[in-house]
Amino acid sequence: MASSFSSPTRPRRPRRTRSRSLDQRRPGLQRTGQLARRPVAQTVSDTRRRLVMVWALLMAMVALLTGRLVWLQLMRGESLGQMAAQQRVRPQQPHPLRYPIVDRQGNLLAMDRIVYTLYSHPQLFSQTPDEVATALSPLLEKPAAELVDQWGNQPTGIRVVDGLSAETADRIRQLRLNGVELVPQQQRFYPQEGLFAPVVGFVNLDGAAQAGIEIGQEKQLLLPERDQRDPAMALVQGQNHQASLHLTLDSRLQRVAQNALEAMVAQRSAKGGAIMVMDVDTGAMLAMAVAPTYNPNEYFRADMAAFRNWAISDLYEPGSTFKPINVAIALEAGVLQPDEMVNDSGQIQFGRWTIRNSDYATSGGRGTISITDVMKYSSNVGMIRIMQKLTPQDYLQWLKKLGMDQPSGIDLPNEAMGQMKDEEQFIRSRVEPATTSFGQGFSMTPIKMMQLQAATMNGGRLVTPHVVRGLIAEDGTSLWQPPRPQPKQIFSERTTQALMPMLEAVVATGTGKAAQIPGYRIGGKTGTAQKALPGGGYGPGRITSFVGVLPVDNPRYVIMAIIDEPKGDDAYGGTTAAPLVKEVGEALVVLEGIPPHGVTAASEATTSD
């Protein structure tokens, strides 16, 4: 019995045997363990594949971007550059503010203002482009179809129109259109447009002064630095209107002069012209009309030649209008008496040069005539006889005393200086003093001629022409006045008084009849000069002019008209320039309240009551 039982100390092997038995009974357990080990290798493989795909995608994107950049730079670079230029809004720095410029009556000639640029962003439109265009078209004064075409160029940032007024901008805002943007910007504005352009000048779109008073008086026109910090706010608050630069010019007289001048230039197919009115005692300019002119608000459309005020920047030979100045020289030098007689032979010979009177073919020589007749008939030969009473040396010294080769000193930029013959040439040549006696062979500016003519009318004082009165505050306080030199005495009052009856005879019965104003005593002198060529000699063109004094018995104003190359066989100073002086003079006596001859201001007022 005992042998049928196992010993309790016998070694056991059930754990290993059982383990094998379990493995055999559950064969799937080994396969499951194999599956658990497989994802590790598969994950590494998948990760590698993903990295390769991402890398390939990135490389493709880089290639696409590179290609796009190359295409934009090489294929569309120019067109995109132009588009970017069109989308520029305004300079980052605002333009410096300037004081307004006004005439002697307080009428605005120049001012700063806020204008608006309209931008459109079609991608933000909540209405169709046609509907937006239809709403904006009447306000912008542009066809709706043109606006729609403009919006088809790009989805945003399209510059539609510049220079919109505040009123128009408000009306656009009231439309409440999405995708429409109004950008304010500062602008210099000229309400009188071309009326004063050659005098006032203009400020360009970059805020830089380019001509006229704008550049000549820029230091006084710019507001103090403390008011420049927020130009837009200063404009809204009207800070730049606390003072104004006042001119001596009168808009009413200027308009009469400009209209008359432009009509004569057109009628005679002339290259241009100028009319100026000056107070003989002070040098204050009441009018300075120049043709051609331009609109300073649209200076970019103008011919650049129009930017020059040729009345102060161009030289011309004055011709016979210089004869009164020569007579004044001879009278002041004591070589001539007002009642003296001279021989007018009609023509005179200087070596190979023959000088004739302009009417020699019809009138011949007049023989012995008075100084008044020399002026009345504009006798070249008579003037030569008068100035031959002076030695060439003394004559030249007198011309230098008048400042012929010096500017007038007017407060406008770019004044030219006159040109005279060399001293040695003038003294040794007999023909040079002869041609100078009737206003040829030298050149000066029209404004210099005005200055000299005024000296023959105001008692002999050389006053400085000027257009600027000063910077004046709203309450009338003078903030700045330009310094001016004291007038220089060059003729005696006796000399200028002797000259006035001679000038009156020219208008009453001589070549200046077209300048007559009924009821007024007018004096003056005509001039018709050959036009010098740049390379020397004279061409077929001529410059006609007339200088008038009003009134003769008590000179107050000098009026000068010049026409550059008028067409027509009858184009002379008496037919082209004298009528202009008459028209401007008629307006002047009304505006200044000058009574007719023989009527005092008091009696005129009594009569009008």
Side-chain angles (χ1 to χ4, degrees):
M1 299 278 301
S3 59
S4 61
F5 294 93
S6 298
S7 174
T9 59
R10 191 176 180 177
R12 298 180 180 181
R13 292 184 294 180
R15 194 175 296 274
R16 186 173 58 185
T17 302
R18 190 176 179 178
S19 175
R20 285 196 300 267
S21 176
L22 288 172
D23 290 342
Q24 291 173 355
R25 286 195 298 258
R26 299 169 62 184
L29 183 61
Q30 185 177 4
R31 287 193 296 270
T32 303
Q34 290 175 351
L35 288 173
R37 289 193 297 270
R38 282 179 186 173
V40 176
Q42 186 175 1
T43 300
V44 172
S45 177
D46 290 345
T47 300
R48 288 176 180 174
R49 277 198 303 272
R50 292 191 187 97
L51 289 174
V52 170
M53 291 175 63
V54 170
W55 181 85
L57 183 61
L58 289 174
M59 291 301 100
M61 292 175 65
V62 169
L64 288 173
L65 289 174
T66 302
R68 176 71 174 173
L69 288 174
V70 170
W71 180 71
L72 290 175
Q73 289 288 339
L74 299 182
M75 304 300 294
R76 296 199 61 198
E78 184 176 354
S79 62
L80 289 174
Q82 294 175 353
M83 190 179 299
Q86 292 175 355
Q87 293 184 38
R88 283 184 302 185
V89 177
R90 54 178 174 172
Q92 293 183 354
Q93 295 297 326
H95 304 160
L97 282 173
R98 294 169 174 263
Y99 287 115
I101 302 175
V102 300
D103 75 346
R104 64 188 302 201
Q105 302 293 325
N107 298 308
L108 276 170
L109 309 184
M111 60 179 289
D112 284 352
R113 68 172 184 175
I114 291 291
V115 295
Y116 295 83
T117 298
L118 178 66
Y119 287 83
S120 62
H121 309 280
Q123 65 180 7
L124 302 178
F125 286 171
S126 58
Q127 298 172 283
T128 66
D130 287 334
E131 291 174 334
V132 176
T134 301
L136 290 175
S137 177
L139 298 179
L140 304 181
E141 297 181 352
K142 294 181 70 172
E146 182 179 333
L147 293 173
V148 173
D149 290 342
Q150 196 173 7
W151 292 333
N153 295 330
Q154 60 193 74
T156 187
I158 301 173
R159 190 172 184 169
V160 181
V161 66
D162 294 312
L164 293 176
S165 66
E167 294 77 12
T168 302
D170 286 340
R171 295 177 65 184
I172 291 175
R173 291 190 189 98
Q174 292 172 8
L175 296 176
R176 300 185 181 278
L177 297 172
N178 292 328
V180 172
E181 179 186 13
L182 288 163
V183 178
Q185 55 189 139
Q186 186 184 335
Q187 183 192 69
R188 194 68 164 168
F189 178 62
Y190 303 92
Q192 307 291 339
E193 296 185 340
L195 186 60
F196 289 95
V199 178
V200 173
F202 66 96
V203 174
N204 66 17
L205 295 178
D206 294 325
Q210 298 296 301
I213 291 172
E214 291 282 23
I215 191 170
Q217 303 294 330
E218 186 166 35
K219 181 178 179 181
Q220 306 302 329
L221 282 169
L222 291 177
L223 267 66
E225 186 175 352
R226 65 178 181 272
D227 296 327
Q228 297 284 0
R229 296 174 184 173
D230 190 346
M233 182 61 65
L235 283 177
V236 172
Q237 296 176 351
Q239 291 179 17
N240 69 323
H241 289 271
Q242 293 178 356
S244 302
L245 188 71
H246 285 238
L247 305 187
T248 61
L249 301 171
D250 189 316
S251 296
R252 301 167 299 176
L253 190 63
Q254 180 84 1
R255 194 170 300 279
V256 172
Q258 189 71 39
N259 291 341
L261 176 63
E262 291 179 353
M264 181 60 72
V265 168
Q267 176 186 336
R268 290 288 182 168
S269 301
K271 294 181 65 176
I275 301 178
M276 296 180 286
V277 181
M278 188 176 83
D279 186 311
V280 299
D281 289 321
T282 66
M285 303 295 299
L286 276 68
M288 182 180 279
V290 178
T293 184
Y294 64 98
N295 185 350
N297 297 312
E298 299 179 347
Y299 67 89
F300 41 82
R301 302 182 189 277
D303 184 347
M304 291 188 64
F307 296 163
R308 284 194 347 266
N309 183 346
W310 71 272
I312 64 171
S313 63
D314 286 15
L315 301 176
Y316 82 115
E317 295 192 5
S320 293
T321 53
F322 196 75
K323 289 175 180 175
I325 298 171
N326 277 326
V327 170
I329 290 174
L331 291 171
E332 192 69 23
V335 298
L336 183 71
Q337 297 301 318
D339 58 352
E340 197 166 332
M341 309 293 283
V342 296
N343 179 35
D344 178 10
S345 57
Q347 65 177 5
I348 190 171
Q349 193 76 27
F350 291 95
R352 61 190 181 93
W353 302 100
T354 301
I355 297 176
R356 298 185 178 91
N357 293 336
S358 60
D359 60 353
Y360 179 74
T362 57
S363 301
R366 290 189 170 86
T368 302
I369 59 175
S370 66
I371 307 303
T372 297
D373 285 342
V374 171
M375 299 283 282
K376 186 170 68 173
Y377 299 119
S378 198
S379 170
N380 293 339
V381 174
M383 281 305 308
I384 293 173
R385 301 293 190 195
I386 291 173
M387 300 316 293
Q388 282 178 336
K389 296 176 180 290
L390 279 170
T391 66
Q393 292 90 338
D394 289 342
Y395 189 11
L396 183 61
Q397 288 304 311
W398 266 102
L399 295 176
K400 290 183 177 180
K401 182 179 179 180
L402 299 181
M404 294 276 293
D405 57 346
Q406 299 297 318
S408 71
I410 191 170
D411 45 7
L412 288 171
N414 302 319
E415 182 181 4
M417 295 176 61
Q419 295 181 356
M420 296 176 58
K421 291 295 175 64
D422 178 74
E423 181 174 351
E424 183 178 354
Q425 181 182 2
F426 189 89
I427 292 174
R428 291 189 177 184
S429 172
R430 294 179 62 209
V431 75
E432 291 298 340
T435 56
T436 302
S437 68
F438 55 86
Q440 300 239 214
F442 64 95
S443 58
M444 61 173 58
T445 60
I447 192 62
K448 181 66 179 182
M449 186 63 172
M450 282 281 284
Q451 182 186 40
L452 296 178
Q453 292 288 351
T456 67
M457 303 168 186
N458 65 9
R461 295 176 298 111
L462 199 66
V463 297
T464 302
H466 60 275
V467 298
V468 178
R469 180 184 166 199
L471 188 65
I472 301 176
E474 282 184 336
D475 60 3
T477 304
S478 177
L479 304 179
W480 168 81
Q481 284 186 327
R484 298 188 185 94
Q486 286 293 322
K488 179 182 178 182
Q489 194 77 33
I490 56 175
F491 301 125
S492 66
E493 189 171 349
R494 182 179 62 181
T495 292
T496 60
Q497 287 177 348
L499 198 61
M500 291 301 103
M502 302 178 191
L503 297 180
E504 186 174 18
V506 172
V507 175
T509 58
T511 56
K513 292 179 181 178
Q516 293 176 0
I517 300 177
Y520 291 86
R521 295 178 63 184
I522 311 296
K525 184 68 190 77
T526 56
T528 304
Q530 292 176 287
K531 192 169 181 180
L533 297 174
Y538 294 92
R542 60 179 68 172
I543 290 185
T544 61
S545 57
F546 184 85
V547 178
V549 54
L550 174 71
V552 164
D553 51 336
N554 182 26
R556 290 179 57 184
Y557 302 102
V558 54
I559 309 172
M560 182 176 180
I562 307 176
I563 304 296
D564 185 12
E565 294 192 23
K567 301 298 187 293
D569 294 336
D570 63 338
Y572 298 98
T575 58
T576 62
L580 295 178
V581 171
K582 169 187 171 69
E583 189 169 349
V584 173
E586 288 175 333
L588 179 64
V589 296
V590 173
L591 294 174
E592 294 299 306
I594 303 174
H597 175 63
V599 179
T600 64
S603 62
E604 186 182 45
T606 302
T607 302
S608 63
D609 289 339

